Amino acid sequence: MFEECLEVFKAELQKKGESIILDEYIPADGSYLIVKKDGSVKCLEVKMNKKTRTLDKSDGDFPKICFYDYHSKLISMNKPVDPKKVIHSNNYFSFAVKKDSIVSGKLTENIIDGYYRILADPLENKYKKSKEASRIYKDFEQKNGTVDLELLEKNKTWIKEHIFKIDEAVEIDMTKKDYLKIFFEVDEADYVREDNRYILPHIYNSNDYNVEVKGEIRGIPDNNYGMNAKKPFLSIKTRKVPAGYLLNGEEVLLQKQFFDYLMNLASTGRNNVYIDTERLKIKALEEADNRDKNLNIRSGYYLRLRKGKELEIQTQDNIVDYKNELHKSLHFRDILGIKFDKVPDYAQNYKDCFTKMETAALISEVFFSKFLHNNYFTDVSDININDSILKFNIITYRNVIFDWAYKGIDKDFASAVDKFSLNMIKNSLLKNNKKRAVLQLNLRWCLKDRFAVKEGDKEMATIATELRKTVKEKILQKKEGVENIRLENDAEYYYVVGQLVKYFIFLSRASKKTQSMINPFINAKNGTVVMNRLFRLYTKYNYDIYDNSKTFNILLAMAIEYGKVKNVNQEMLIFGYLDDNLILEKSRRDNTVVTKNDVDKDIEEEK
């Protein structure tokens, strides 16, 4: 898999050159100084906007800053030139240090002298204790020449004269907790050469595992793999060479460049990388709000990145015929009569979805209160959510949702939607948030219509409309004296139960009425428990129900007549509870608040 990704990157690198890395390169925050050949100094402040993950690139010298910085950075802090780890650059054309190290006195002249002493003769002062590193460096020096000592001394002198009073030479804020980086202007080829003088002896994870194969040095790459004395379990004891795989100089350099490229993407928030092995292209994208709906990969790989102290590949998977655009859009219909057109927030945020990313974002917002989006890969112990039910459902279903949206894996998605959506609707009722529960039920049905309804099946919008209409017609027929009118199925029965429970809760004189009062019915193990609890509410509140309340009497009678049902249809029970209450329906005039007096007047009219 990884070799194929490298092949695609190699093709892009050959086509675009090093610009594929430098165009995306993001220097660390700080003050960047270029000491020109004529002795003048140019200062450029670099600071990334953390919200937008962008920075100002308008200065004409910004590309030069990126080039110098990329070709003078350490592979890692475990492989410094300065053994004190105060100076963070790798060649004598550059000098990188934290401003705080200067202000606090951590940077001293002795450290500066030690840094340049190593750079003047790396073989003698750094690599002589390592046979493999010495061999690599000698080979490099033979091909590229020795260090220009005269130029090194010139740069060293400039640094020692200016570094401790740099704010006198240029206007910079030395109180900031960021970098000061100084670059001496030379030809780009010279920078690359001195960068390689450092990189090649350090590019392998550990030179102790290097072997020579047909005159070619092979070793363990520093990216994506590591071996040392503290990790003996990574060694393959049955092999003469304990490393899992070895790369030659060209291959390990290509891998380093690939990881540098991926780090740039992660730094700018483009954590979703699609590698098209058929077209030999790489597409790096941000999250749902910036997603390309035309993304289409017939064969390739998906990488999820994260920027930490080093690049992290959080997950990877094969991609087969991935399409972000839904072949059939998700139609977000107003099944429950929310009247989106009259509520600006709804009309703006809840629209038809045409891509998987849009759908996943809507699911995150409506069902998971936007917490899903940022917790796809968060360790369970680090998920800071107080709502235990919300947290449980995120942990349980995040992988299925992520795989569907980002990788195109449809397996178990429809089943997961059915489970987590019902769980979160019940949780909203528990939290006394009817507005969210109605919205969630509406989206649940839209999702079921799009992903779970089979050819020829009725859509939930049709089922809900017909169910509401049928129950209303049966009430009307009963009032007109038509006999043998009864409930015909469990859906009608539980819709009526939900209506009755809503009415009983309305009659409650509790000082605080909450949606959680329906929970004993939703969580009932069987239909017998539901009927018993319905009777309890009836006996509790029948003192406040008029004998001639026809609509109530008809609904209760039909529910009792239908009999005890084995299984509980939670969905239709919730629908009956959240839908406009048929008993209270006449009291809702021009969106006025329903009061007890309204109900009493309604009942008097029925008499």
Side-chain angles (χ1 to χ4, degrees), residues 331-340 438-439 441-449 459-466 468 575 579:
H331 186 29
F332 196 69
R333 289 169 295 180
D334 187 7
I335 301 174
L336 287 165
I338 302 174
K339 299 181 177 62
F340 293 104
V438 171
L439 186 61
L441 181 59
N442 200 88
L443 179 56
R444 168 182 165 84
W445 282 354
C446 292
L447 289 169
K448 289 182 69 173
D449 285 346
E459 294 185 339
M460 292 306 301
T462 303
I463 293 173
T465 302
E466 291 180 352
R468 187 188 291 123
F575 174 40
D579 201 19

Side-chain angles (χ1 to χ4, degrees), residues 27 40 170 200 229 262 294 359 363 369 413 477 516 529 554 587 597 604:
S40 63
V170 290
L200 294 181
L262 295 180
N294 296 318
T359 306
I363 288 173
S369 303
F413 178 69
Q477 289 173 322
S516 62
V529 175
I554 291 170
S587 298
N597 290 333
E604 286 298 325

Side-chain angles (χ1 to χ4, degrees), residues 153-360:
E153 284 297 327
K154 179 182 176 183
N155 294 346
K156 173 185 172 182
T157 300
W158 193 98
I159 291 295
K160 294 184 72 172
E161 288 179 354
H162 294 87
I163 193 65
F164 297 110
K165 51 182 180 180
I166 195 69
D167 52 346
E168 296 179 8
V170 290
E171 186 177 345
I172 58 175
D173 186 354
M174 291 298 292
T175 63
K176 289 184 177 180
K177 304 295 183 180
D178 56 14
Y179 270 104
L180 170 65
K181 296 190 178 185
I182 301 170
F183 305 116
F184 293 92
E185 187 178 51
V186 294
D187 294 341
E188 290 186 351
D190 293 333
Y191 249 99
V192 173
R193 183 191 68 242
E194 294 308 312
D195 182 32
N196 288 336
R197 191 184 299 275
Y198 160 81
I199 284 179
L200 294 181
H202 293 93
I203 198 167
Y204 291 110
N205 174 255
S206 173
N207 289 321
D208 295 339
Y209 297 97
N210 291 2
V211 297
E212 187 172 337
V213 181
K214 296 181 179 179
E216 182 180 64
I217 296 176
R218 289 179 172 268
I220 303 170
D222 198 47
N223 303 105
N224 203 41
Y225 192 53
M227 284 181 63
N228 55 52
K230 296 180 181 180
K231 300 176 182 178
F233 51 86
L234 294 176
S235 300
I236 304 175
K237 306 299 184 181
T238 57
R239 295 179 55 178
K240 183 178 180 180
V241 179
Y245 70 108
L246 301 172
L247 301 179
N248 63 27
E250 181 182 344
E251 293 167 339
V252 75
L253 182 59
L254 177 65
Q255 182 166 305
K256 174 190 177 296
Q257 291 174 312
F258 181 52
F259 274 83
D260 288 341
Y261 170 71
L262 295 180
M263 175 59 92
N264 293 339
L265 299 178
S267 298
T268 54
R270 284 171 289 177
N271 299 319
N272 306 290
V273 180
Y274 293 87
I275 299 177
D276 191 333
T277 56
E278 186 178 75
R279 301 186 184 97
L280 297 180
K281 291 184 178 180
I282 300 176
K283 186 75 172 179
L285 302 168
E286 296 181 40
E287 299 303 340
D289 54 342
N290 292 316
R291 183 57 53 127
D292 182 358
K293 73 174 184 178
N294 296 318
L295 181 63
N296 181 3
I297 297 178
R298 285 168 44 175
S299 177
Y301 297 96
Y302 169 80
L303 304 179
R304 174 74 177 199
L305 310 179
R306 178 184 176 185
K307 181 184 177 182
K309 290 184 178 180
E310 58 185 19
L311 177 75
E312 298 177 26
I313 299 179
Q314 294 181 297
T315 187
Q316 62 82 26
D317 212 331
N318 292 22
I319 297 293
V320 180
D321 198 23
Y322 173 82
K323 294 180 180 178
N324 182 38
E325 187 173 17
L326 296 171
H327 69 271
K328 178 184 175 184
S329 63
L330 171 67
H331 186 29
F332 196 69
R333 289 169 295 180
D334 187 7
I335 301 174
L336 287 165
I338 302 174
K339 299 181 177 62
F340 293 104
D341 57 326
K342 295 183 179 180
V343 184
D345 288 345
Y346 284 171
Q348 181 179 356
N349 296 326
Y350 307 121
K351 302 176 181 178
D352 290 357
C353 295
F354 301 96
T355 69
K356 293 178 179 178
M357 291 298 106
E358 291 173 345
T359 306

Side-chain angles (χ1 to χ4, degrees), residues 357-605:
M357 291 298 106
E358 291 173 345
T359 306
L362 191 60
I363 288 173
S364 176
E365 179 169 343
V366 175
F367 290 113
F368 298 101
S369 303
K370 298 184 179 180
F371 283 104
L372 175 65
H373 176 76
N374 294 322
N375 287 293
Y376 277 126
F377 296 97
T378 307
D379 289 339
V380 173
S381 60
D382 294 332
I383 298 179
N384 188 21
I385 298 175
N386 294 326
D387 187 333
S388 60
I389 296 175
L390 173 60
K391 184 175 181 178
F392 171 81
N393 279 273
I394 287 176
I395 294 169
T396 304
Y397 299 105
R398 59 182 177 175
N399 288 342
V400 176
I401 299 171
F402 183 87
D403 287 349
W404 173 79
Y406 290 79
K407 304 176 188 176
I409 301 175
D410 295 335
K411 183 182 179 182
D412 299 329
F413 178 69
S415 174
V417 167
D418 183 58
K419 293 174 183 176
F420 73 69
S421 60
L422 191 58
N423 290 345
M424 296 315 301
I425 292 169
K426 292 160 63 176
N427 189 48
S428 294
L429 293 175
L430 177 65
K431 301 295 183 183
N432 199 34
N433 193 337
K434 181 181 177 182
K435 179 181 177 181
R436 179 167 288 275
V438 171
L439 186 61
Q440 288 172 335
L441 181 59
N442 200 88
L443 179 56
R444 168 182 165 84
W445 282 354
C446 292
L447 289 169
K448 289 182 69 173
D449 285 346
R450 172 58 186 83
F451 298 106
V453 173
K454 298 178 182 178
E455 189 71 28
D457 288 349
K458 288 184 178 179
E459 294 185 339
M460 292 306 301
T462 303
I463 293 173
T465 302
E466 291 180 352
L467 180 57
R468 187 188 291 123
K469 180 180 178 183
T470 299
V471 173
K472 281 185 176 182
E473 288 177 348
K474 289 181 177 181
I475 293 172
L476 182 61
Q477 289 173 322
K478 277 283 190 180
K479 287 181 178 181
E480 292 176 351
V482 179
E483 298 181 358
N484 299 322
I485 301 298
R486 56 178 54 87
L487 302 178
E488 298 176 2
N489 53 58
D490 289 3
E492 291 182 5
Y493 169 71
Y494 277 107
Y495 177 82
V496 169
V497 170
Q499 290 273 303
L500 291 169
V501 173
K502 178 64 176 180
Y503 182 61
F504 286 136
I505 292 175
F506 172 79
L507 294 176
S508 170
R509 293 184 179 180
S511 59
K512 184 179 180 181
K513 299 178 186 180
T514 65
Q515 305 293 329
S516 62
M517 295 173 75
I518 194 180
N519 286 353
F521 291 88
I522 298 174
N523 298 325
K525 294 182 179 180
N526 54 60
T528 302
V529 175
V530 171
M531 183 58 74
N532 291 339
R533 289 175 178 170
L534 195 64
F535 278 134
R536 288 179 195 170
L537 288 183
Y538 174 69
T539 56
K540 184 175 182 179
Y541 296 115
N542 59 15
Y543 72 90
D544 209 15
I545 303 174
Y546 288 91
D547 184 56
N548 290 327
S549 179
K550 294 180 182 179
T551 301
F552 170 80
N553 291 339
I554 291 170
L555 288 176
L556 183 61
M558 287 196 297
I560 295 172
E561 182 185 22
Y562 188 77
K564 297 178 180 179
V565 181
K566 183 177 181 180
N567 298 318
V568 180
N569 189 330
Q570 295 179 331
E571 186 166 32
M572 288 305 159
L573 199 159
I574 293 172
F575 174 40
Y577 177 80
L578 294 177
D579 201 19
D580 288 342
N581 194 270
L582 299 174
I583 304 170
L584 306 175
E585 193 174 51
K586 289 185 179 180
S587 298
R588 292 187 173 89
R589 301 185 181 95
D590 302 323
N591 293 325
T592 56
V593 178
V594 180
T595 66
K596 186 68 166 58
N597 290 333
D598 292 330
V599 181
D600 291 342
K601 290 178 182 178
D602 186 33
I603 293 174
E604 286 298 325
E605 290 176 5

